[in-house]
Amino acid sequence: MAGPALWFPLLLAAASAGRAAALWPWPQYIQTSDWRYTVSPHGFQFRYHASSAAQAGCSVLDEAFQRYRAVLFDSVALRFPSPAERHTSEKNSLVVLVVTAGCDQFPSLESVENYTLTINDEQCLLLSETVWGALRGLETFSQLVWRSPEGTFFINKTEIEDFPRFPHRGLLLDTSRHYLPVASILDTLNVMAYSKFNVFHWHLVDDSSFPYESFTFPELAKKGSYNPATHVYTAQDVKEVIEYARLRGIRVLVEFDTPGHTLSWGPGVPGLLTPCYSGSHPSGTFGPVNPTLNSTYEFMSAFFLEISAVFPDFYLHLGGDEVDFTCWKSNPDIQAFMKKKGFGEDFKKLESFYIETLLDIVSAYNKGYVVWQEVFDNKVKIRPDTIIQVWREQASVSYMREMELVTGAGLRALLSAPWYLNHISYGPDWKEAYTVEPLAFEGGPEQKALVIGGEACMWGEYVDSTNLVPRLWPRAGAVAERLWSNEIVSNLESAFKRLTHFRCELLRRGVQAQPLGIGYCDTEFEQN
Amino acid sequence: MEQRRLGWPRLLGLLAVLASPAFATRNLGLWPMPGSVQMTPRLLHVSPDRFFIDHSPASKAGPSCALLQSAFQRYYDYIFGFNKWRHGPAKPHSEMDLQKLLVSVTQDPECDNFPSISSDESYTLQVKGPVALLEANKVWGVLRGLETFSQLIYQDSYGAFTVNESKIIDSPRFPHRGILIDTSRHFLPVKTILKTLDAMAFNKFNVLHWHMVDDESFPYQSITFPELSNKGSFSLSGVYTPNDIRRVIGYARLRGIRIVPEFDSPGHTQSWGKGQKDLLTPCYQGTQSSGTFGPINPILNTTYSFLHALFKEISTVFPDKFIHLGGDEVQFDCWKSNPDIQKFMKSKGFANFERLESFYMEKLLDMVSTMGKRSIVWQEVFDNKDKLSPGTVVQVWKSDKFPHEQSKVTEAGFPMILSAPWYLDVIRYGQDWRGYYEVEPLDFPGSEKQKTLVIGGEACLWGEYVDSTNLTPRLWPRASAVGERLWSHQGVRDLGDAYSRLTVHRCRMIRRGISAQPLFTGYCNYEDGMSQ
C-alpha cells in the first residue's frame, strides 16, 4: 500500500482537476494540468499589457479588475505571507492584452467576445480582441482560481481558447406585473455576467403597470405605475441600469410591447386605447392601442423618439404578441375603418397595419427591432433584418417548426419557447432547459446561421424581488451554457456537477441561488 | 359571557356589515380570520409617540412576565417600527385617540411554561377609545390577540395610524397547527429557523415540526453520542449545538410555538450509521455483505440500548410532551438480504417484514412512553398494524385517498394530524395556495367522535430542493393558506375574500422582514429589498 507521502499529490491532483473542471459555462477549448501555481491575495493584481490597446483609464476594465479582485479575495484578511508560502511558482498578476480599444462604447450584437487565457510557467495572460472578450476571460479566470482547505489560493496550468456559440444570450425580466427595485435588476446583471449572458431584455411595461418615467409623457408613469413615488424607474435609474450593464458587457434590449399588453398606457394617454363597446355603447373598458387614429401614430413617433435616444442599443423590442381582437371587433369606428381599408373581417390585417406603421416609425430612428413571433405568424410586412423571437411552445406549431419557418423565410430568430423559467415544477427542471438544442430543426446551414441565440424568460405574474433570485439562479445557468458552449457540451452528469459547483460559487459571491438537489455548500446563504 | 363561537351565518352577517356601502372599511388583511369580528365606522387615531401596550391592573400577569414584556415590545415595533419615518403629523390629544392597549390574563398565566397541545389560545379584543382591552385566559391567547391587534391598525392616506373601534372574539379550530422543516436534506442556519418562527407567529401557527435528521445528514449534536453529528453532518458548520437548540426552543416559546423534534427510524437513517457502528443493518449480496447499509438493525440488543440513551437525551433536550418517531418508508430489501435477520425472523415466527418493523416500532414506542413522552408517527406505523398504545398520534401524509386513511385512523381511535394535501415542497406554476386553502380536514366518512380526533394539520416543506436561499418565499404565503384552514371556522372558505386578505397579509409580512412571494400580479407599498 502506498504511504502517505505518495497519497498527498494524488489527492491534490483530484482536488485541482475538480476545480478546473468546474467552469460554467464550459469553454470551447481547454487544456489544464495538475501543475499549479499559488496566487497570493495581497500581492495579486490585474495589469494591462504594455501593447494593449486598452490601458489604465479604460472604465470597463478598470472597474472589472476591482470587481474581480473583490470576488476572488474579498473574504481574505490581508496578511503578510509566511516564508513557506513564497513559492517561486507564484502568480501575482494577470496581464491583460486587448487588441482593439473601445472602452467607452456599448456592447452590440456584433461585439466580439473571444478571448484566450494562458497560465503557464512563462505567463499569466488574458488576450482578447475587445474589452468585451476581456470581461468574459476575467470571469473564467475568477472561476479557475481555487482555494485549498488551508486557505492558499491556487491556479492550475491552463490554456483556454473561448468564444460564444451564439451572439445573443439573453435574460428577460418583467417589471410590469411586479415592480423590481433597481437593486434587484443590478444584482441580476452581476449574475448574468458570472454566467456570460450578454443581453438584458427589459420587458419594462405591460397591462399591469407602466413604471417607465417618460420625460415626453410623464403622465404615463404618473397614472400608469403602481405608485408614481416609489414604483417607477426614473431617467437616472434607467441610466444606471444601462451603464451597470455596459460595464459588464451586457446590452439592454428594452421592450415596449404594443398594440396589446398596453392597458397601463391608457390612463396617461387619453384616446390611445380602443374603447370597447357592448352593443351600441362604450362599455367603459379598453382594448389594444387604437390603430385607426392619426393621434396614435403621432404619440408613438414622439414616444419612440425618446426611447431611441434613452436606450443606446441598436435594437428595440416592439412586442406585438397576443393581440386580443374582441375589443376591436366591438368598436364601430374600427369596423368603419376596416371597411374603408378593405380589411374585411380579418383583424390580423388591422394588426399588421398598426405594426407596419410602427416599424416604419422606429426604422426612421435608425433602430433595428425584435418582435414576438405573432408578427411573423400574422404575415406582417417586416424588414428583412427583423429579429423574430419564438416563444410559443406548441401553438400553432411546435417551436422547432416555428424556428424552421422563421429562418426559412430568411429572418433571424431568437429562441425562448423552452426557456420560460417562470414556469416551475417539482424537481430538477433545469435539465429540460439544458437539453434543448436550439438548432435541432429541419433546415440547411444557412438557416441555422440565422439563429442568433436565445433568451431565458422570467415573466413576473408570480415573481417579484422576494423570489426572483432563487427562482432564476441557477436555473438560468442551464440556458447560459447552452447558448455559450459548444453544441457537444451536453452531458447531464458533468453539467450537474459543474452547475452544483457554480451554484455554491454564486452563494459565495452573495447570490441567493437555490439548490439543484440534496447537499450543501461551504458557504450557505444567511439572511440578514 | 358572550357566546364563544359564533355560527357561520352570524359571521356572514358581521362580514356583511363590513362590506355594506354605508361603511366601506378598508381591507385590513386579517389573517387568519378571527372567529367573530364586529367593527364600527368609528376611527381611532394611534400615535406612535404616546401609544403603549401594558398589563391591566386586573391581570394575573405583570411586568415579571418576560414572555409578555417581550411580546409587547415586538408588537409595538411591528405596528409602528417600520414606518416611524413617515407617520403623520402629531395630532392633539383627543377623545379619538387610542392611548393604550391593556392586556389582562384572567387565569394562571403560564408565563414560564412551554406551550402544549392543550394550551388555551383563546382571547377577546375590545378596541375602543381611549383604552383597548385584550383579555385571555393564558399568555398564549394574549400572543394570538396581539397579532390580531397589530393587524387591525393601518395607516390612512395621510400616513396616520388608525384603527376602527372593534370587538373580536377568537379561538383556534384545531390545537395542532404545524409547519414541518427538514434540516437533513439541506442544513438550515439557525437564523432561517428563527425567521420561520416569526412568520409562523404572524399566521398563528403553533407547532414547528423539526424533521431534524434523515438519510442525508445528521446535524443534531448529541451530547451522549457526539460522533453522530461529527461524522453524520454535511460539514462541521452544519450542526445544531445544544445552545442552538435551546435558542430555537426559547425563541419559539416566546411566540407560543412548540418544537416537536422528529428522529425518524428505522428507515431514513443512513446518516446515523456513520457515527454509530453496527446500528444499521449490513446488506448482503448473496452470502457476502455488500458494504452498504439498510434501516436500523432491529434484532440487536445494542440497537435498543443506543436508542434508549439517545431518546433519553432527546426527551430532556426538547421540553415538548411529543416526540415524532417517524416510521415511514422502510425498505425491506436489505433486511431480506441479511442472513442474521432471516434467522431472527424465523425464531420469532414473523411471517413478513412488516412484523419485524412493528417489532422495532413497538419497542421504540414503549421506550419513549416510559420517558413520559407521547409519540407521533407517520401513517405507515398504523397501516402496518403495529400495536399502538392509545393516544399515539398518527400523521397522515400519503396524498392517495387520504380521507379514507383519516377514517381508518380515527375509527381505530387514534388522534391524527393531516399533512397529505399540504406538501408545499411540491411546487406548481400558479396559485397553488388555492388548493391548500380548499382542503377541509374533516371531510372524511366518520362519526362526530372520529372528527374530534383530528387534532390539526401540518404544512410540510421537505428539503430536497429547499435550503435557506428559497425557504422563505416558497413557504410564505403558501403556508398561510393552511394556517387559516387550521385556525378559522370551517365556513371561512371564500376564495375571493381569502385572496384579497392574503394579498394584504403578504405585504405585511414583507414589511416585517419576511420575503413572502406574491400571490399574483400586483404590488406592495413597500417591496422586499426596496431602499427606504
Side-chain angles (χ1 to χ4, degrees):
Chain A
M1 204 48 208
L6 272 173
W7 271 108
F8 186 59
L10 280 175
L11 284 172
L12 271 181
S16 60
R19 181 65 215 215
L23 293 174
W24 193 275
W26 190 248
Q28 301 286 347
Y29 301 105
I30 174 166
Q31 262 197 318
T32 185
S33 84
D34 295 340
W35 187 253
R36 62 200 168 91
Y37 311 96
T38 55
V39 178
S40 145
H42 39 271
F44 185 85
Q45 32 177 309
F46 296 99
R47 293 196 292 120
Y48 292 96
H49 192 279
S51 53
S52 172
Q55 290 294 339
C58 172
S59 56
V60 172
L61 291 184
D62 283 353
E63 295 208 17
F65 292 171
Q66 276 192 24
R67 276 200 314 277
Y68 280 105
R69 249 206 82 81
V71 158
L72 285 168
F73 308 120
D74 237 15
S75 54
V76 183
L78 288 190
R79 58 186 176 86
F80 289 104
S82 61
E85 282 177 341
R86 290 185 189 277
H87 293 251
T88 45
S89 59
E90 180 174 302
K91 293 293 180 193
N92 50 25
S93 67
L94 175 70
V95 178
V96 178
L97 198 165
V98 176
V99 177
T100 316
C103 294
D104 302 320
Q105 292 165 5
F106 287 93
S108 73
L109 180 60
E110 291 76 30
S111 290
V112 177
E113 294 171 292
N114 302 25
Y115 68 92
T116 63
L117 196 52
T118 311
I119 292 124
N120 59 26
D121 292 356
E122 289 77 40
Q123 51 187 356
C124 189
L125 176 73
L126 169 59
L127 172 68
S128 68
E129 176 63 32
T130 66
V131 290
W132 316 120
L135 289 175
R136 305 299 166 242
L138 284 169
E139 175 56 39
T140 304
F141 176 80
S142 77
Q143 294 187 19
L144 283 173
V145 175
W146 55 281
R147 205 173 176 189
S148 72
E150 295 73 37
T152 314
F153 290 88
F154 292 105
I155 189 162
N156 287 53
K157 185 172 171 179
T158 306
E159 180 86 44
I160 289 177
E161 190 183 336
D162 201 9
F163 51 86
R165 182 178 174 203
F166 295 104
H168 185 119
R169 304 180 307 282
L171 179 68
L172 177 149
L173 293 185
D174 169 1
T175 56
S176 175
R177 273 59 175 253
H178 285 97
Y179 176 82
L180 295 172
V182 173
S184 285
I185 297 176
L186 302 185
D187 289 347
T188 302
L189 290 168
N190 266 329
V191 197
M192 286 173 69
Y194 298 157
S195 31
K196 297 191 171 70
F197 275 110
N198 67 354
V199 179
F200 166 40
H201 177 164
W202 192 350
H203 187 84
L204 193 31
V205 302
D206 205 296
D207 284 331
S208 320
S209 78
F210 197 106
Y212 172 75
E213 218 172 67
S214 159
F215 48 84
T216 322
F217 301 101
E219 294 300 302
L220 280 167
K222 224 171 250 165
K223 300 204 169 134
S225 68
Y226 285 132
N227 181 334
T230 49
H231 290 57
V232 289
Y233 302 104
T234 64
Q236 188 51 43
D237 291 337
V238 172
K239 264 203 199 110
E240 189 183 359
V241 168
I242 293 170
E243 177 62 5
Y244 201 89
R246 185 186 82 84
L247 290 172
R248 284 152 186 81
I250 297 171
R251 299 161 51 204
V252 177
L253 171 64
V254 75
E255 177 178 353
F256 285 92
D257 190 356
T258 67
H261 290 278
T262 45
L263 282 180
S264 69
W265 302 45
V269 187
L272 181 66
L273 301 186
T274 309
C276 314
Y277 277 65
S278 89
S280 58
H281 293 289
S283 67
T285 61
F286 293 90
V289 164
N290 191 334
T292 68
L293 303 177
N294 285 336
S295 57
T296 292
Y297 300 102
E298 284 160 15
F299 165 81
M300 290 296 169
S301 282
F303 181 72
F304 278 102
L305 180 64
E306 169 182 331
I307 299 307
S308 305
V310 169
F311 292 90
D313 201 79
F314 177 68
Y315 290 93
L316 295 179
H317 201 303
L318 298 176
D321 58 321
E322 300 184 309
V323 183
D324 184 356
F325 297 143
T326 340
C327 182
W328 279 352
K329 279 182 191 163
S330 77
N331 182 302
D333 298 335
I334 304 253
Q335 290 159 7
F337 184 84
M338 294 275 289
K339 197 169 286 175
K340 192 177 104 195
K341 290 277 178 186
F343 291 164
E345 286 297 299
D346 189 355
F347 285 86
K348 284 185 183 173
K349 286 194 176 140
L350 182 61
E351 182 185 351
S352 299
F353 172 82
Y354 169 82
I355 301 255
E356 282 165 30
T357 318
L358 179 67
L359 295 185
D360 286 345
I361 290 170
V362 172
S363 305
Y365 298 142
N366 253 329
K367 289 280 185 181
Y369 39 77
V370 186
V371 289
W372 296 109
Q373 72 178 72
E374 283 95 325
V375 174
F376 170 78
D377 297 345
N378 292 348
K379 307 195 174 28
V380 177
K381 269 190 232 102
I382 40 182
R383 272 194 343 214
D385 62 349
T386 305
I387 297 169
I388 308 293
Q389 186 161 12
V390 173
W391 70 275
R392 308 190 71 147
E393 277 212 88
Q394 288 301 337
S396 54
V397 295
S398 76
Y399 68 85
M400 278 304 176
R401 170 84 179 136
E402 181 80 5
M403 293 292 281
E404 182 191 333
L405 293 173
V406 170
T407 54
L411 295 167
R412 287 176 297 170
L414 262 180
L415 182 61
S416 287
W419 293 322
Y420 268 37
L421 299 187
N422 52 309
H423 291 157
I424 51 169
S425 59
Y426 182 72
D429 59 356
W430 66 272
K431 292 184 182 175
E432 284 154 48
Y434 189 76
T435 46
V436 170
E437 169 43 50
L439 301 188
F441 58 85
E442 298 290 319
E446 70 294 342
Q447 262 177 274
K448 308 284 167 101
L450 288 169
V451 178
I452 60 167
E455 289 187 358
C457 300
M458 185 56 81
W459 294 100
E461 285 84 350
Y462 300 100
V463 176
D464 71 2
S465 54
T466 60
N467 57 356
L468 173 75
V469 179
R471 195 162 286 199
L472 197 48
W473 310 107
R475 291 164 76 229
V479 182
E481 174 153 300
R482 184 52 54 239
L483 294 172
W484 177 278
S485 304
N486 195 292
E487 179 182 352
I488 60 166
V489 180
S490 60
N491 181 292
L492 272 174
E493 214 173 303
S494 147
F496 176 72
K497 280 190 198 137
R498 286 183 297 111
L499 192 53
T500 301
H501 181 98
F502 182 61
R503 181 251 165 180
C504 287
E505 175 63 13
L506 291 182
L507 283 192
R508 198 188 66 76
R509 296 185 188 191
V511 180
Q512 202 174 335
Q514 74 181 9
L516 294 172
I518 294 163
Y520 72 103
C521 298
D522 291 331
T523 317
E524 297 287 358
F525 178 75
E526 287 259 3
Q527 36 209 139
N528 309 318
Chain B
M1 195 59 202
E2 263 123 334
Q3 199 184 340
R4 263 253 103 81
R5 291 203 172 202
L6 298 173
W8 176 233
R10 175 80 193 283
L11 182 72
L12 267 183
L14 291 168
L15 291 171
V17 170
L18 288 179
S20 72
F23 169 37
T25 52
R26 64 173 50 219
N27 171 10
L28 295 171
L30 289 182
W31 196 276
M33 182 53 104
S36 119
V37 180
Q38 283 175 292
M39 221 174 249
T40 82
R42 198 181 163 94
L43 297 179
L44 303 167
H45 174 242
V46 194
S47 157
D49 312 330
R50 289 188 294 265
F51 176 83
F52 60 96
I53 308 173
D54 204 356
H55 303 275
S56 154
S59 179
K60 296 256 165 73
S64 66
C65 183
L67 183 144
L68 287 185
Q69 293 298 115
S70 64
F72 293 173
Q73 182 61 50
R74 213 162 55 238
Y75 277 98
Y76 179 89
D77 285 343
Y78 290 144
I79 294 167
F80 305 115
F82 305 91
N83 288 294
K84 272 181 203 149
W85 52 283
R86 58 167 194 169
H87 68 78
K91 291 180 186 166
H93 219 284
S94 79
E95 281 302 297
M96 295 300 281
D97 268 9
L98 184 66
Q99 291 163 15
K100 55 186 160 189
L101 170 68
L102 287 185
V103 171
S104 181
V105 183
T106 55
Q107 301 175 6
D108 167 27
E110 303 183 355
C111 277
D112 301 314
N113 294 23
F114 288 95
S116 76
I117 183 72
S118 50
S119 289
D120 184 345
E121 294 171 293
S122 64
Y123 66 93
T124 62
L125 181 60
Q126 180 109 38
V127 180
K128 58 177 190 343
V131 177
L133 184 65
L134 169 59
E135 226 176 17
N137 293 330
K138 307 283 178 184
V139 291
W140 318 116
V142 174
L143 292 174
R144 305 299 166 242
L146 284 171
E147 176 57 39
T148 304
F149 178 74
S150 74
Q151 296 187 5
L152 288 173
I153 295 176
Y154 62 91
Q155 284 181 282
D156 70 11
S157 41
Y158 302 100
F161 291 96
T162 311
V163 65
N164 283 73
E165 208 178 65
S166 39
K167 172 148 197 197
I168 288 177
I169 304 170
D170 198 13
S171 59
R173 182 176 175 205
F174 295 104
H176 185 112
R177 305 180 306 282
I179 297 281
L180 176 147
I181 56 166
D182 170 0
T183 55
S184 176
R185 274 60 179 256
H186 286 98
F187 179 79
L188 298 172
V190 170
K191 263 191 203 170
T192 302
I193 299 176
L194 302 185
K195 267 265 189 244
T196 304
L197 290 167
D198 282 339
M200 285 173 68
F202 303 155
N203 291 276
K204 297 192 170 72
F205 276 100
N206 66 356
V207 178
L208 181 73
H209 174 167
W210 192 346
H211 186 83
M212 176 75 87
V213 300
D214 206 296
D215 284 330
E216 287 80 6
S217 78
F218 197 105
Y220 172 77
Q221 193 177 80
S222 160
I223 308 150
T224 325
F225 302 102
E227 288 303 296
L228 285 170
S229 64
N230 281 350
K231 303 224 167 107
S233 67
F234 279 133
S235 71
L236 291 180
S237 53
V239 162
Y240 302 107
T241 64
N243 202 34
D244 290 336
I245 288 166
R246 262 197 302 275
R247 193 161 155 226
V248 169
I249 293 170
Y251 197 91
R253 186 187 84 85
L254 291 177
R255 284 152 185 81
I257 297 170
R258 300 160 50 204
I259 303 289
V260 174
E262 176 181 353
F263 285 80
D264 191 354
S265 72
H268 288 279
T269 47
Q270 289 292 305
S271 70
W272 305 38
K274 295 178 182 160
Q276 186 64 21
K277 221 167 137 285
D278 297 333
L279 178 66
L280 302 185
T281 309
C283 313
Y284 276 66
Q285 212 160 24
T287 56
Q288 300 280 306
S289 74
S290 69
T292 63
F293 294 89
I296 282 181
N297 192 334
I299 68 170
L300 302 177
N301 287 334
T302 51
T303 291
Y304 297 101
S305 49
F306 163 78
L307 290 173
H308 190 274
L310 178 67
F311 278 98
K312 188 87 203 155
E313 171 184 326
I314 290 164
S315 63
T316 3
V317 168
F318 293 91
D320 202 80
K321 182 81 177 168
F322 286 85
I323 296 180
H324 202 302
L325 298 177
D328 58 322
E329 300 184 310
V330 183
Q331 306 287 324
F332 296 142
D333 309 355
C334 184
W335 280 350
K336 278 182 192 162
S337 77
N338 182 303
D340 298 333
I341 304 250
Q342 291 161 6
K343 218 178 291 164
F344 184 82
M345 296 273 291
K346 201 169 285 174
S347 76
K348 288 278 178 187
F350 292 164
N352 55 45
F353 286 89
E354 280 84 1
R355 286 289 297 120
L356 181 62
E357 184 183 342
S358 300
F359 170 82
Y360 170 87
M361 284 309 294
E362 285 164 21
K363 284 182 85 109
L364 181 62
L365 285 160
D366 284 347
M367 188 187 288
V368 168
S369 80
T370 62
M371 295 168 189
K373 294 283 182 176
R374 286 179 63 186
S375 301
I376 308 177
V377 291
W378 297 108
Q379 70 179 71
E380 285 96 322
V381 178
F382 168 80
D383 296 344
N384 288 346
K385 311 196 175 13
D386 296 12
K387 279 188 225 94
L388 296 179
S389 56
T392 305
V393 178
V394 177
Q395 185 160 10
V396 173
W397 70 274
K398 294 187 174 182
S399 59
D400 187 40
K401 299 191 196 119
F402 67 84
H404 178 67
E405 179 79 4
Q406 289 181 279
S407 293
K408 285 201 305 181
V409 170
T410 53
E411 195 177 5
F414 292 105
M416 63 139 296
I417 294 168
L418 182 64
S419 286
W422 292 322
Y423 268 37
L424 302 195
D425 56 314
V426 182
I427 51 169
R428 282 191 299 124
Y429 181 71
Q431 299 201 32
D432 54 359
W433 69 272
R434 291 171 182 264
Y436 308 137
Y437 190 77
E438 285 185 303
V439 171
E440 169 43 51
L442 301 189
D443 198 3
F444 61 87
S447 65
E448 278 309 302
K449 183 149 177 276
Q450 273 174 267
K451 308 283 164 107
T452 60
L453 287 169
V454 178
I455 61 171
E458 289 183 2
C460 302
L461 193 66
W462 294 98
E464 283 85 349
Y465 299 100
V466 176
D467 71 2
S468 57
T469 62
N470 57 357
L471 179 131
T472 302
R474 194 161 288 196
L475 192 51
W476 309 107
R478 293 163 75 230
S480 305
V482 182
E484 175 152 300
R485 184 53 53 239
L486 295 172
W487 176 278
S488 304
H489 288 182
Q490 182 169 2
V492 180
R493 50 185 310 110
D494 181 86
L495 274 172
D497 174 61
Y499 176 81
S500 40
R501 282 185 295 114
L502 190 50
T503 301
V504 173
H505 182 54
R506 112 105 184 163
C507 290
R508 180 167 47 227
M509 285 197 270
I510 289 180
R511 270 204 317 278
R512 296 181 183 183
I514 304 298
S515 300
Q517 73 181 12
L519 293 173
F520 190 53
T521 302
Y523 73 105
C524 299
N525 286 326
Y526 172 75
E527 305 284 359
D528 193 39
M530 203 177 239
S531 52
Q532 298 195 350

